[in-house]
Amino acid sequence: MVKLTDNSFLFSFEGSINRAKYWYALFASMAFSLVVMSALAFTLAGLFGVSVKSVSVKLAGVFSLPPSLPFQATFSDADPQSSGTLISLLFNLAGTPVLIFSLWFLAATTVKRLHDRDKGWWWIVPLFILPQFLGKLADGLDASYAADLLALTSVVLNLWGIVELVFLRGTDGPNRFGADPMAPADPIDTRPGWDHGSELEFVPHSAGPSTGAHVM
């Protein structure tokens, strides 16, 4: 069973996790990225003498076409042509390790959740990448039935991915990817307990004198 404190939960693509652990993974990834990137934004603002206007983190941006950085920060009182550009560049460079960690963590937990649903890693393509591609393609087309169909397909795939990963329970019992993550860590011992009565030996009482006794 994968535990929240195991390195395998953070980085491994093997095994399975249940819905509760995946909910935790989504929340932890977003919270970690937002806290670290906010601290970085306020640090840069203090160094350059500006103020932070907003900080946002959207990890899904890396699946868009073309891919975009999943975090953004805007600063007030900064010259867009000089210090503003430098602050944004430093913000993106310093945030790259955070991005790599968060995406690896999110990808690993997503694959393990797919395993719980008895699905391989390649399901990331129709559930995450293909909807972005179809949505972008629909935006590039003129208003038509084809564009509407592509947009509708993108929405359906997005909803399917959310339901599949976040709401549906895993398969009952072990599957081709390993043990059931909901199974107890230690199997319950169903053997009968010690029968005290069967272990006792009763010696029959003899009323007569023992062998070798003398009768007066």
Side-chain angles (χ1 to χ4, degrees), residues 22-69:
Y22 190 64
W23 296 338
Y24 168 81
L26 294 176
F27 173 78
S29 180
M30 294 296 296
F32 171 80
S33 300
L34 184 59
V35 169
V36 174
M37 298 310 296
S38 296
L40 175 61
F42 281 99
T43 300
L44 291 174
L47 292 175
F48 286 87
V50 297
S51 58
V52 178
K53 188 175 181 179
S54 66
V55 179
S56 61
V57 175
K58 297 180 180 178
L59 295 179
V62 298
F63 297 109
S64 62
L65 295 174
S68 62
L69 290 174

Short mmCIF file of all heavy atoms in Angstrom, two decimals, residues 22-69:
data_model
loop_
_atom_site.label_atom_id
_atom_site.label_comp_id
_atom_site.label_asym_id
_atom_site.label_seq_id
_atom_site.Cartn_x
_atom_site.Cartn_y
_atom_site.Cartn_z
N TYR A 22 -5.48 10.73 -4.37
CA TYR A 22 -5.36 11.58 -5.56
C TYR A 22 -5.90 12.98 -5.27
O TYR A 22 -5.33 13.97 -5.75
CB TYR A 22 -6.11 10.95 -6.73
CG TYR A 22 -5.83 11.65 -8.04
CD1 TYR A 22 -4.55 11.64 -8.58
CD2 TYR A 22 -6.83 12.33 -8.74
CE1 TYR A 22 -4.27 12.28 -9.78
CE2 TYR A 22 -6.56 12.96 -9.93
CZ TYR A 22 -5.28 12.93 -10.44
OH TYR A 22 -5.00 13.58 -11.63
N TRP A 23 -6.97 13.08 -4.51
CA TRP A 23 -7.45 14.40 -4.09
C TRP A 23 -6.36 15.13 -3.32
O TRP A 23 -6.14 16.33 -3.52
CB TRP A 23 -8.70 14.27 -3.22
CG TRP A 23 -9.88 13.69 -3.89
CD1 TRP A 23 -10.13 13.65 -5.25
CD2 TRP A 23 -11.00 13.03 -3.27
NE1 TRP A 23 -11.32 13.02 -5.50
CE2 TRP A 23 -11.88 12.63 -4.32
CE3 TRP A 23 -11.35 12.76 -1.97
CZ2 TRP A 23 -13.06 11.97 -4.06
CZ3 TRP A 23 -12.54 12.10 -1.71
CH2 TRP A 23 -13.38 11.71 -2.74
N TYR A 24 -5.71 14.41 -2.42
CA TYR A 24 -4.61 15.00 -1.66
C TYR A 24 -3.49 15.45 -2.59
O TYR A 24 -2.90 16.53 -2.40
CB TYR A 24 -4.09 13.99 -0.64
CG TYR A 24 -2.78 14.40 0.00
CD1 TYR A 24 -2.75 15.30 1.06
CD2 TYR A 24 -1.57 13.90 -0.47
CE1 TYR A 24 -1.56 15.69 1.63
CE2 TYR A 24 -0.37 14.27 0.11
CZ TYR A 24 -0.37 15.16 1.15
OH TYR A 24 0.82 15.54 1.71
N ALA A 25 -3.18 14.64 -3.60
CA ALA A 25 -2.11 14.98 -4.53
C ALA A 25 -2.42 16.27 -5.28
O ALA A 25 -1.55 17.14 -5.44
CB ALA A 25 -1.88 13.84 -5.51
N LEU A 26 -3.65 16.42 -5.75
CA LEU A 26 -4.03 17.63 -6.46
C LEU A 26 -3.93 18.86 -5.56
O LEU A 26 -3.37 19.90 -5.96
CB LEU A 26 -5.46 17.50 -6.99
CG LEU A 26 -5.70 16.43 -8.07
CD1 LEU A 26 -7.19 16.37 -8.42
CD2 LEU A 26 -4.88 16.72 -9.30
N PHE A 27 -4.46 18.73 -4.35
CA PHE A 27 -4.43 19.86 -3.43
C PHE A 27 -2.99 20.21 -3.03
O PHE A 27 -2.60 21.39 -3.01
CB PHE A 27 -5.25 19.54 -2.18
CG PHE A 27 -5.15 20.58 -1.09
CD1 PHE A 27 -5.86 21.77 -1.18
CD2 PHE A 27 -4.32 20.38 0.00
CE1 PHE A 27 -5.76 22.74 -0.19
CE2 PHE A 27 -4.21 21.33 0.99
CZ PHE A 27 -4.93 22.51 0.90
N ALA A 28 -2.20 19.18 -2.72
CA ALA A 28 -0.83 19.42 -2.27
C ALA A 28 0.01 20.05 -3.36
O ALA A 28 0.82 20.95 -3.10
CB ALA A 28 -0.20 18.10 -1.79
N SER A 29 -0.16 19.58 -4.60
CA SER A 29 0.62 20.13 -5.71
C SER A 29 0.29 21.60 -5.94
O SER A 29 1.20 22.43 -6.10
CB SER A 29 0.34 19.32 -6.98
OG SER A 29 1.07 19.81 -8.07
N MET A 30 -0.99 21.94 -5.96
CA MET A 30 -1.38 23.32 -6.17
C MET A 30 -0.97 24.21 -5.00
O MET A 30 -0.47 25.33 -5.19
CB MET A 30 -2.88 23.40 -6.40
CG MET A 30 -3.36 22.74 -7.68
SD MET A 30 -2.71 23.54 -9.17
CE MET A 30 -3.48 25.15 -9.02
N ALA A 31 -1.18 23.71 -3.77
CA ALA A 31 -0.84 24.51 -2.59
C ALA A 31 0.66 24.75 -2.51
O ALA A 31 1.11 25.87 -2.22
CB ALA A 31 -1.35 23.82 -1.33
N PHE A 32 1.45 23.70 -2.74
CA PHE A 32 2.91 23.84 -2.69
C PHE A 32 3.39 24.86 -3.73
O PHE A 32 4.20 25.75 -3.42
CB PHE A 32 3.57 22.48 -2.94
CG PHE A 32 5.06 22.54 -3.13
CD1 PHE A 32 5.90 22.65 -2.04
CD2 PHE A 32 5.61 22.49 -4.40
CE1 PHE A 32 7.28 22.71 -2.22
CE2 PHE A 32 6.97 22.55 -4.59
CZ PHE A 32 7.82 22.66 -3.49
N SER A 33 2.91 24.72 -4.96
CA SER A 33 3.33 25.64 -6.02
C SER A 33 2.92 27.08 -5.70
O SER A 33 3.72 28.02 -5.89
CB SER A 33 2.73 25.21 -7.35
OG SER A 33 3.14 23.92 -7.71
N LEU A 34 1.71 27.27 -5.21
CA LEU A 34 1.23 28.62 -4.93
C LEU A 34 2.01 29.27 -3.80
O LEU A 34 2.39 30.45 -3.88
CB LEU A 34 -0.26 28.58 -4.59
CG LEU A 34 -0.94 29.94 -4.36
CD1 LEU A 34 -0.81 30.81 -5.60
CD2 LEU A 34 -2.41 29.74 -4.01
N VAL A 35 2.30 28.51 -2.74
CA VAL A 35 3.03 29.07 -1.60
C VAL A 35 4.46 29.44 -2.00
O VAL A 35 4.95 30.54 -1.70
CB VAL A 35 3.04 28.06 -0.43
CG1 VAL A 35 4.02 28.50 0.65
CG2 VAL A 35 1.64 27.92 0.17
N VAL A 36 5.14 28.52 -2.71
CA VAL A 36 6.53 28.78 -3.09
C VAL A 36 6.62 29.94 -4.08
O VAL A 36 7.49 30.83 -3.94
CB VAL A 36 7.18 27.51 -3.67
CG1 VAL A 36 8.57 27.81 -4.21
CG2 VAL A 36 7.26 26.43 -2.61
N MET A 37 5.74 29.95 -5.08
CA MET A 37 5.81 31.01 -6.08
C MET A 37 5.39 32.35 -5.50
O MET A 37 5.90 33.40 -5.92
CB MET A 37 4.94 30.64 -7.28
CG MET A 37 5.36 29.38 -8.01
SD MET A 37 7.12 29.32 -8.44
CE MET A 37 7.24 30.68 -9.59
N SER A 38 4.49 32.36 -4.55
CA SER A 38 4.12 33.63 -3.89
C SER A 38 5.29 34.16 -3.08
O SER A 38 5.58 35.38 -3.11
CB SER A 38 2.90 33.41 -2.98
OG SER A 38 1.77 33.04 -3.73
N ALA A 39 5.98 33.28 -2.35
CA ALA A 39 7.15 33.70 -1.59
C ALA A 39 8.23 34.25 -2.52
O ALA A 39 8.88 35.26 -2.20
CB ALA A 39 7.69 32.53 -0.78
N LEU A 40 8.40 33.61 -3.67
CA LEU A 40 9.39 34.09 -4.64
C LEU A 40 8.99 35.45 -5.19
O LEU A 40 9.83 36.35 -5.34
CB LEU A 40 9.51 33.07 -5.78
CG LEU A 40 10.42 33.46 -6.95
CD1 LEU A 40 11.86 33.66 -6.47
CD2 LEU A 40 10.36 32.39 -8.03
N ALA A 41 7.71 35.64 -5.49
CA ALA A 41 7.25 36.92 -6.04
C ALA A 41 7.46 38.05 -5.04
O ALA A 41 7.95 39.14 -5.41
CB ALA A 41 5.77 36.81 -6.42
N PHE A 42 7.15 37.82 -3.77
CA PHE A 42 7.33 38.87 -2.76
C PHE A 42 8.81 39.14 -2.50
O PHE A 42 9.19 40.28 -2.21
CB PHE A 42 6.62 38.48 -1.47
CG PHE A 42 5.13 38.72 -1.50
CD1 PHE A 42 4.25 37.69 -1.74
CD2 PHE A 42 4.63 40.00 -1.30
CE1 PHE A 42 2.88 37.91 -1.77
CE2 PHE A 42 3.26 40.25 -1.32
CZ PHE A 42 2.38 39.20 -1.57
N THR A 43 9.64 38.12 -2.63
CA THR A 43 11.08 38.33 -2.47
C THR A 43 11.62 39.22 -3.58
O THR A 43 12.38 40.17 -3.34
CB THR A 43 11.82 36.98 -2.47
OG1 THR A 43 11.35 36.17 -1.39
CG2 THR A 43 13.33 37.19 -2.34
N LEU A 44 11.25 38.93 -4.81
CA LEU A 44 11.69 39.75 -5.94
C LEU A 44 11.13 41.17 -5.85
O LEU A 44 11.82 42.15 -6.17
CB LEU A 44 11.25 39.10 -7.26
CG LEU A 44 11.95 37.80 -7.64
CD1 LEU A 44 11.31 37.19 -8.88
CD2 LEU A 44 13.43 38.04 -7.88
N ALA A 45 9.89 41.27 -5.40
CA ALA A 45 9.30 42.60 -5.25
C ALA A 45 10.06 43.43 -4.23
O ALA A 45 10.29 44.64 -4.43
CB ALA A 45 7.84 42.47 -4.83
N GLY A 46 10.49 42.79 -3.13
CA GLY A 46 11.27 43.51 -2.14
C GLY A 46 12.63 43.93 -2.66
O GLY A 46 13.12 45.02 -2.33
N LEU A 47 13.26 43.08 -3.48
CA LEU A 47 14.58 43.41 -4.02
C LEU A 47 14.52 44.56 -5.01
O LEU A 47 15.44 45.38 -5.08
CB LEU A 47 15.19 42.18 -4.69
CG LEU A 47 15.59 41.02 -3.77
CD1 LEU A 47 16.06 39.83 -4.60
CD2 LEU A 47 16.67 41.46 -2.79
N PHE A 48 13.45 44.65 -5.78
CA PHE A 48 13.34 45.67 -6.82
C PHE A 48 12.48 46.86 -6.40
O PHE A 48 12.27 47.79 -7.19
CB PHE A 48 12.77 45.06 -8.11
CG PHE A 48 13.76 44.21 -8.85
CD1 PHE A 48 13.89 42.86 -8.56
CD2 PHE A 48 14.56 44.75 -9.84
CE1 PHE A 48 14.79 42.06 -9.24
CE2 PHE A 48 15.47 43.97 -10.54
CZ PHE A 48 15.59 42.61 -10.23
N GLY A 49 11.97 46.82 -5.17
CA GLY A 49 11.20 47.96 -4.68
C GLY A 49 9.86 48.14 -5.34
O GLY A 49 9.42 49.28 -5.54
N VAL A 50 9.21 47.03 -5.70
CA VAL A 50 7.88 47.10 -6.29
C VAL A 50 6.93 46.31 -5.40
O VAL A 50 7.33 45.75 -4.37
CB VAL A 50 7.87 46.55 -7.73
CG1 VAL A 50 8.77 47.40 -8.62
CG2 VAL A 50 8.31 45.09 -7.77
N SER A 51 5.67 46.24 -5.77
CA SER A 51 4.69 45.48 -5.01
C SER A 51 4.06 44.40 -5.88
O SER A 51 3.98 44.53 -7.10
CB SER A 51 3.60 46.41 -4.44
OG SER A 51 2.96 47.11 -5.49
N VAL A 52 3.62 43.33 -5.23
CA VAL A 52 3.00 42.22 -5.95
C VAL A 52 1.52 42.51 -6.15
O VAL A 52 0.80 42.81 -5.19
CB VAL A 52 3.18 40.89 -5.17
CG1 VAL A 52 2.48 39.74 -5.90
CG2 VAL A 52 4.66 40.59 -4.98
N LYS A 53 1.07 42.42 -7.38
CA LYS A 53 -0.34 42.66 -7.69
C LYS A 53 -1.14 41.36 -7.64
O LYS A 53 -2.23 41.31 -7.08
CB LYS A 53 -0.47 43.31 -9.06
CG LYS A 53 -1.88 43.76 -9.38
CD LYS A 53 -1.91 44.51 -10.72
CE LYS A 53 -3.31 45.00 -11.05
NZ LYS A 53 -3.34 45.73 -12.34
N SER A 54 -0.60 40.29 -8.23
CA SER A 54 -1.29 38.99 -8.21
C SER A 54 -0.30 37.88 -8.51
O SER A 54 0.72 38.10 -9.17
CB SER A 54 -2.44 38.96 -9.23
OG SER A 54 -1.94 39.05 -10.55
N VAL A 55 -0.62 36.69 -8.01
CA VAL A 55 0.14 35.47 -8.31
C VAL A 55 -0.88 34.37 -8.59
O VAL A 55 -1.82 34.17 -7.82
CB VAL A 55 1.05 35.04 -7.14
CG1 VAL A 55 1.81 33.75 -7.49
CG2 VAL A 55 2.04 36.15 -6.80
N SER A 56 -0.70 33.66 -9.69
CA SER A 56 -1.62 32.57 -10.05
C SER A 56 -0.83 31.36 -10.51
O SER A 56 0.26 31.48 -11.08
CB SER A 56 -2.59 33.01 -11.16
OG SER A 56 -1.87 33.34 -12.34
N VAL A 57 -1.38 30.18 -10.22
CA VAL A 57 -0.76 28.91 -10.62
C VAL A 57 -1.83 28.07 -11.30
O VAL A 57 -2.87 27.78 -10.71
CB VAL A 57 -0.18 28.15 -9.41
CG1 VAL A 57 0.35 26.79 -9.85
CG2 VAL A 57 0.92 28.96 -8.75
N LYS A 58 -1.58 27.68 -12.54
CA LYS A 58 -2.48 26.82 -13.31
C LYS A 58 -1.62 25.77 -14.00
O LYS A 58 -1.10 25.99 -15.10
CB LYS A 58 -3.28 27.63 -14.32
CG LYS A 58 -4.22 28.66 -13.71
CD LYS A 58 -4.98 29.42 -14.78
CE LYS A 58 -5.91 30.45 -14.17
NZ LYS A 58 -6.64 31.24 -15.21
N LEU A 59 -1.47 24.61 -13.35
CA LEU A 59 -0.60 23.57 -13.88
C LEU A 59 -1.11 23.02 -15.21
O LEU A 59 -0.33 22.48 -15.99
CB LEU A 59 -0.47 22.43 -12.86
CG LEU A 59 0.24 22.80 -11.55
CD1 LEU A 59 0.29 21.59 -10.62
CD2 LEU A 59 1.64 23.32 -11.81
N ALA A 60 -2.40 23.14 -15.46
CA ALA A 60 -2.95 22.63 -16.72
C ALA A 60 -2.43 23.40 -17.93
O ALA A 60 -2.57 22.95 -19.06
CB ALA A 60 -4.47 22.68 -16.69
N GLY A 61 -1.81 24.56 -17.70
CA GLY A 61 -1.30 25.35 -18.81
C GLY A 61 -0.23 24.64 -19.61
O GLY A 61 -0.06 24.94 -20.80
N VAL A 62 0.49 23.69 -19.01
CA VAL A 62 1.54 22.99 -19.74
C VAL A 62 0.96 22.04 -20.78
O VAL A 62 1.68 21.59 -21.68
CB VAL A 62 2.46 22.21 -18.78
CG1 VAL A 62 3.16 23.15 -17.83
CG2 VAL A 62 1.66 21.18 -18.00
N PHE A 63 -0.31 21.70 -20.69
CA PHE A 63 -0.94 20.82 -21.67
C PHE A 63 -1.60 21.59 -22.81
O PHE A 63 -2.17 20.98 -23.72
CB PHE A 63 -2.00 19.94 -20.99
CG PHE A 63 -1.43 19.01 -19.96
CD1 PHE A 63 -1.67 19.21 -18.61
CD2 PHE A 63 -0.65 17.93 -20.34
CE1 PHE A 63 -1.15 18.35 -17.66
CE2 PHE A 63 -0.13 17.06 -19.40
CZ PHE A 63 -0.38 17.28 -18.06
N SER A 64 -1.57 22.91 -22.74
CA SER A 64 -2.19 23.70 -23.78
C SER A 64 -1.29 23.73 -25.03
O SER A 64 -0.13 23.32 -25.00
CB SER A 64 -2.44 25.14 -23.29
OG SER A 64 -1.21 25.78 -22.96
N LEU A 65 -1.84 24.17 -26.13
CA LEU A 65 -1.11 24.26 -27.39
C LEU A 65 -1.15 25.69 -27.89
O LEU A 65 -2.22 26.19 -28.25
CB LEU A 65 -1.74 23.32 -28.42
CG LEU A 65 -1.64 21.83 -28.11
CD1 LEU A 65 -2.41 21.01 -29.14
CD2 LEU A 65 -0.20 21.38 -28.05
N PRO A 66 0.00 26.39 -27.95
CA PRO A 66 1.30 25.92 -27.46
C PRO A 66 1.34 25.91 -25.94
O PRO A 66 0.56 26.61 -25.29
CB PRO A 66 2.28 26.94 -28.05
CG PRO A 66 1.46 28.20 -28.14
CD PRO A 66 0.08 27.75 -28.49
N PRO A 67 2.27 25.13 -25.34
CA PRO A 67 2.36 25.08 -23.87
C PRO A 67 2.68 26.46 -23.30
O PRO A 67 3.42 27.25 -23.90
CB PRO A 67 3.50 24.08 -23.62
CG PRO A 67 3.59 23.27 -24.87
CD PRO A 67 3.23 24.21 -25.98
N SER A 68 2.11 26.74 -22.15
CA SER A 68 2.38 28.01 -21.47
C SER A 68 2.84 27.73 -20.04
O SER A 68 2.57 26.65 -19.49
CB SER A 68 1.12 28.89 -21.44
OG SER A 68 0.08 28.24 -20.73
N LEU A 69 3.56 28.69 -19.48
CA LEU A 69 4.01 28.53 -18.10
C LEU A 69 2.80 28.48 -17.17
O LEU A 69 1.87 29.26 -17.32
CB LEU A 69 4.92 29.69 -17.71
CG LEU A 69 6.30 29.71 -18.39
CD1 LEU A 69 7.05 30.98 -18.03
CD2 LEU A 69 7.12 28.48 -18.02
#
